[in-house]
């Protein structure tokens, strides 16, 4: 887990982030962006894969698309919380991410398309 210095996480350590999106190009872009921001990143293409990754790697934050096959982002988020896992979640969506954030109670949101620096800042803020 992360260390805290005066209550703030340090950027000089490894922090694991899970990105979940059914579009492989978006997953690659998210990985490149977040790795450039100092994160270790794993990816999943749907909610089922994401739950498996959470069990394997216990990420410190999740960047989550909503519209996905197999298990969508809403169902993934509900299952995560039903298991009493409270990893911070950033909703990433082209369809009104702010509304989805409010409905689910996620920690933050960002719309598609996104600015890389904004995504990095949001993920650091929720951790």
């Amino acid at each position: 887990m992360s260390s805290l210095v005066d209550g703030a996480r340090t950027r000089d350590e490894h922090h694991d982030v899970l990105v979940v999106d059914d579009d492989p190009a978006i997953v690659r872009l998210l990985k490149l962006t977040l790795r450039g921001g100092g994160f270790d990143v794993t990816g999943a293409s749907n909610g089922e894969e994401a739950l498996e990754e959470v069990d394997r790697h216990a990420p410190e934050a999740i960047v989550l698309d909503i519209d996905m096959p197999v298990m969508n982002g809403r169902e993934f988020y509900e299952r995560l919380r039903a298991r009493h896992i409270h990893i911070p979640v950033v909703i990433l969506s082209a369809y009104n991410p702010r509304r989805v954030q409010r409905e689910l109670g996620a920690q933050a949101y960002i719309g598609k398309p996104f600015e890389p620096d904004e995504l990095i800042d949001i993920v650091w803020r929720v951790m």
Side-chain angles (χ1 to χ4, degrees):
M1 291 314 263
S2 306
S3 68
L4 297 177
V5 177
D6 296 329
R9 293 186 188 273
T10 60
R11 292 188 183 205
D12 59 345
E13 297 180 3
H14 294 284
H15 300 282
D16 295 323
V17 176
L18 171 62
V19 297
V20 188
D21 196 299
D22 61 315
D23 184 336
I26 297 288
V27 171
R28 280 191 303 275
L29 177 62
L30 291 168
K31 284 181 173 182
L32 283 171
T33 298
L34 292 169
R35 285 178 180 149
F39 297 101
D40 291 331
V41 186
T42 56
S45 63
N46 62 59
E48 285 183 4
E49 286 181 14
L51 284 175
E52 292 171 7
E53 286 297 321
V54 167
D55 289 340
R56 271 195 293 271
H57 300 291
E60 295 175 73
I62 299 170
V63 178
L64 177 67
D65 185 29
I66 295 300
D67 295 323
M68 296 180 291
V70 183
M71 180 192 302
N72 67 37
R74 287 176 189 270
E75 187 176 351
F76 165 79
Y77 189 89
E78 291 166 359
R79 287 191 185 187
L80 194 69
R81 296 308 186 236
R83 292 170 57 188
H84 304 287
I85 298 172
H86 297 285
I87 299 166
V89 173
V90 176
I91 300 297
L92 174 67
S93 178
Y95 305 104
N96 200 345
R98 179 178 285 191
R99 190 194 77 208
V100 174
Q101 176 200 7
R102 283 192 313 266
E103 290 173 1
L104 293 177
Q107 286 64 44
Y109 71 92
I110 188 167
K112 290 179 183 176
F114 61 88
E115 291 293 327
D117 289 341
E118 182 183 9
L119 176 63
I120 291 166
D121 289 344
I122 288 171
V123 172
W124 275 114
R125 189 179 70 226
V126 301
M127 293 181 75

